[in-house]
């Protein structure tokens, strides 16, 4: 029997919990052509959520495009990847597809590439960015809107990990071009997603940026405790487990409702108890020990590379176990022997830059809740 909990992959279908409110709202946004800027800390479930939303939108007749910019490292890559996704909207059958693509993207030369034995194929594109850079981008950024008008269907275009565009679009030329097209598209909802908060802020909140005030901001939070705890219980019970009262609640207490870490702990717990087919509240601690044991090598390495002040601050935060604590207050500095606020500030900056801490509504949270639990164990916090 397969483990009913997944982590590290997009969670879909029965592996996906709740988010009913978000799905409804985002689907509504797509159908009304609203642009959205969707952000959250790492691994809160943005990609999983948007996949569910796009499924729903497609059922309701929308055209959908999903493009992950994580692996896109140049403008050429971007053109190829976007064109390939647009091509997927152009129907089946190689001939009809190529004809439609020729009219939508006349400057790109599609090559039909077959995968394996079956009739599965994809289009790849050749082009010369040198001479026709601007017209190619113009065609590309109009393509979805043109299809949406022709077919009289709403459309959604999702750019996942959008902040990565700044790595190669240094002068914002591509982003300015995008905006100049997208702002006229009434029937298309453009959705920009990302987790690197400072980069997303730079793109969407700075006045000089092409995407300043470009859409509605949609911060994605954690999954509410009640819905998540029913999900956990159901997943265990569906695979024949007896779940002692209080188990889901204890799990969520330890993972602070974080979607990824919750699934991780549940996955390990399920494995540990698969013979007995029973999970008790006391087992939850064993599950946590197991997770921490598996991660401890990585934690040690991370720790070894941190300066002393950063370590001291992490220990202090883990001991307080309260992200809202005022870290520059004299009481906090004295209690934990942290010295001057200026040196703590440097440590905070380092920890934020390394993604070890995250700033959430004015509070400092551990990105990895298991790192916090490890510190609490190691340093008797
Ligand atoms: N709605 C959900 N129900 C159950 N588990 C979820 C849900 N959303 C996310 N998860 C868990 O969190 C993990 C990360 O989800 P996902 O990759 O969608 O997050 P993300 O915000 O896109 O992450 P990243 O910042 O790395 O892009 C999933 O593998 C799954 O374990
Ligand atoms: Mg993602």
């Amino acid at each position: 029997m397969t483990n009913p909990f997944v982590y590290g992959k997009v969670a879909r279908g029965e592996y996906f919990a709740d988010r009913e409110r978000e799905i409804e709202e985002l689907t509504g946004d797509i159908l009304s052509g609203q642009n959205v800027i969707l952000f959250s800390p790492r691994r809160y479930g943005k990609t999983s959520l948007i996949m569910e939303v796009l499924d729903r939108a497609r059922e309701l007749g929308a055209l959908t495009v999903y493009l992950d910019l994580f692996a896109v490292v140049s403008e050429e890559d971007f053109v190829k990847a976007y064109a390939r996704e647009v091509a997927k909207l152009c129907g089946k059958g190689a001939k009809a597809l190529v004809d439609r693509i020729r009219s939508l993207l006349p400057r790109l030369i599609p090559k039909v590439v077959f995968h394996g034995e079956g009739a599965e194929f994809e289009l790849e594109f050749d082009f010369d960015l040198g001479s026709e850079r601007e017209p190619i981008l113009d065609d590309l950024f109009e393509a979805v809107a043109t299809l949406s008008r022709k077919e009289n269907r709403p459309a959604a275009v999702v750019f996942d990990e959008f902040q990565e565009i700044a790595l190669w679009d240094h002068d914002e030329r591509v982003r300015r071009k995008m905006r100049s097209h997208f702002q006229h598209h009434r029937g298309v909802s453009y959705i920009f997603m990302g987790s690197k908060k400072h980069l997303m802020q730079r793109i969407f909140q700075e006045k000089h940026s092409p995407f300043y005030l470009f859409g509605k901001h949609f911060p994605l939070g954690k999954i509410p405790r009640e819905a998540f705890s029913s999900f956990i219980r159901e997943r265990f019970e569906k695979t024949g487990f007896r779940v002692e009262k209080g188990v889901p609640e204890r799990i969520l207490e330890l993972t602070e409702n974080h979607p990824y870490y919750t699934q991780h702990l549940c996955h390990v717990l399920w494995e540990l108890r698969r013979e007995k087919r029973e999970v008790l509240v006391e087992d939850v601690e064993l599950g946590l020990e197991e997770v921490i044991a598996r991660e401890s090598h990585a934690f040690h390495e991370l720790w070894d590379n941190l300066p002393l002040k950063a370590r001291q601050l992490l220990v202090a935060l883990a001991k307080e176990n309260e992200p809202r604590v005022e870290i520059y207050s004299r009481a906090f500095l004295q209690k934990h022997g942290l010295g001057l606020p200026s040196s703590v500030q440097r440590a905070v900056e380092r920890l934020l830059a390394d993604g070890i801490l995250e700033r959430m509504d004015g509070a400092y949270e551990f990105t990895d809740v298991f790192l916090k639990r490890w510190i609490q164990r190691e340093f008797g916090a």
Side-chain angles (χ1 to χ4, degrees):
M1 184 161 276
T2 52
N3 197 310
F5 299 101
V6 294
Y7 63 100
K9 289 185 234 174
V10 173
R12 303 191 69 169
E14 59 175 336
Y15 295 95
F16 182 86
D18 189 48
R19 300 291 196 203
E20 285 305 323
R21 190 185 60 74
E22 290 89 345
I23 292 176
E24 197 158 313
E25 182 171 340
L26 289 166
T27 310
D29 289 335
I30 290 177
L31 298 180
S32 58
Q34 171 70 48
N35 297 331
V36 180
I37 297 140
L38 175 71
F39 55 94
S40 77
R42 295 284 326 266
R43 297 167 170 176
Y44 264 38
K46 296 174 293 298
T47 305
S48 302
L49 169 63
I50 210 68
M51 291 303 171
E52 293 288 315
V53 169
L54 293 182
D55 283 351
R56 180 84 57 95
R58 266 194 307 278
E59 281 165 19
L60 296 170
L63 297 165
T64 67
V65 171
Y66 170 84
L67 187 63
D68 185 358
L69 295 190
F70 193 71
V72 169
V73 293
S74 67
E75 192 170 337
E76 282 82 355
D77 268 3
F78 177 77
V79 170
K80 281 185 188 171
Y82 196 18
R84 203 166 46 231
E85 295 310 314
V86 169
K88 291 184 186 159
L89 298 178
C90 292
K92 305 227 165 6
K95 171 83 174 67
L97 180 62
V98 170
D99 287 348
R100 291 191 81 178
I101 283 292
R102 284 217 173 101
S103 75
L104 271 178
L105 303 170
R107 291 171 185 84
L108 300 188
I109 304 154
K111 268 192 320 212
V112 181
V113 181
F114 287 90
H115 296 299
E117 295 289 298
E120 289 284 302
F121 64 89
E122 257 195 358
L123 291 189
E124 278 180 10
F125 293 89
D126 273 339
F127 53 88
D128 176 10
L129 255 194
S131 57
E132 296 202 295
R133 191 181 288 267
E134 297 303 312
I136 285 176
L137 290 178
D138 287 327
D139 292 346
L140 202 57
F141 295 147
E142 276 307 306
V144 177
T146 305
L147 279 173
S148 145
R149 266 195 308 273
K150 268 195 188 142
E151 302 193 8
N152 195 21
R153 290 162 71 184
V157 179
V158 175
F159 296 101
D160 204 347
E161 304 292 352
F162 186 66
Q163 75 277 338
E164 301 297 308
I165 197 170
L167 289 178
W168 49 269
D169 183 31
H170 301 295
D171 52 4
E172 303 186 334
R173 183 177 47 78
V174 174
R175 273 168 283 174
R176 278 201 301 277
K177 176 73 83 188
M178 283 172 126
R179 185 188 171 110
S180 72
H181 287 273
F182 294 173
Q183 66 184 349
H184 300 294
H185 298 161
R186 292 283 154 261
V188 187
S189 151
Y190 292 94
I191 300 177
F192 303 89
M193 312 207 299
S195 48
K196 295 186 185 148
K197 199 170 173 191
H198 56 292
L199 296 177
M200 289 292 278
Q201 269 173 350
R202 209 171 290 162
I203 295 175
F204 294 103
Q205 286 176 10
E206 288 186 4
K207 280 211 173 84
H208 62 78
S209 162
F211 282 108
Y212 179 60
L213 298 184
F214 194 64
K216 128 175 168 184
H217 285 218
F218 192 108
L220 182 67
K222 292 178 180 171
I223 298 170
R225 201 154 280 214
E226 235 163 72
F228 215 178
S229 98
S230 330
F231 169 84
I232 294 169
R233 174 173 291 281
E234 277 161 28
R235 297 303 286 158
F236 273 116
E237 287 178 351
K238 210 161 164 232
T239 45
F241 271 65
R242 192 183 84 78
V243 181
E244 191 185 22
K245 192 166 180 294
V247 164
E249 291 73 17
R250 182 65 188 137
I251 292 172
L252 291 171
E253 216 174 293
L254 290 172
T255 61
E256 298 176 358
N257 276 36
H258 192 300
Y260 172 90
Y261 297 106
T262 303
Q263 290 256 23
H264 188 173
L265 179 54
C266 289
H267 186 100
V268 169
L269 257 178
W270 190 91
E271 239 173 64
L272 284 178
R273 307 299 295 164
R274 67 184 297 165
E275 296 300 325
K276 286 250 189 271
R277 283 277 187 278
E278 179 180 58
V279 51
L280 307 175
V281 175
E282 64 193 43
D283 297 330
V284 178
E285 312 299 325
L286 294 179
L288 181 65
E289 293 307 326
E290 177 66 25
V291 172
I292 290 179
R294 291 183 193 181
E295 300 290 312
S296 77
H297 181 72
F299 291 156
H300 273 287
E301 202 166 290
L302 178 149
W303 199 250
D304 286 343
N305 287 315
L306 285 177
L308 180 64
K309 189 63 75 177
R311 295 183 197 181
Q312 289 171 330
L313 178 61
L314 289 179
V315 172
L317 283 169
K319 279 189 177 162
E320 294 283 338
N321 202 18
E322 164 50 64
R324 291 201 175 278
V325 62
E326 189 37 76
I327 62 170
Y328 297 117
S329 71
R330 196 197 290 201
F332 181 80
L333 295 173
Q334 269 181 359
K335 178 171 168 194
H336 300 286
L338 284 165
L340 293 173
S342 56
S343 65
V344 171
Q345 191 177 351
R346 272 195 300 280
V348 168
E349 279 162 13
R350 159 81 188 253
L351 292 165
L352 289 172
D354 285 358
I356 294 169
L357 289 181
E358 237 151 5
R359 199 154 161 73
M360 291 279 292
D361 310 324
Y364 293 98
E365 303 242 27
F366 281 81
T367 308
D368 183 341
V369 69
F370 296 141
L371 174 64
K372 178 160 89 179
R373 303 286 173 233
W374 176 78
I375 294 172
Q376 287 170 342
R377 272 163 185 64
E378 292 285 310
F379 300 91

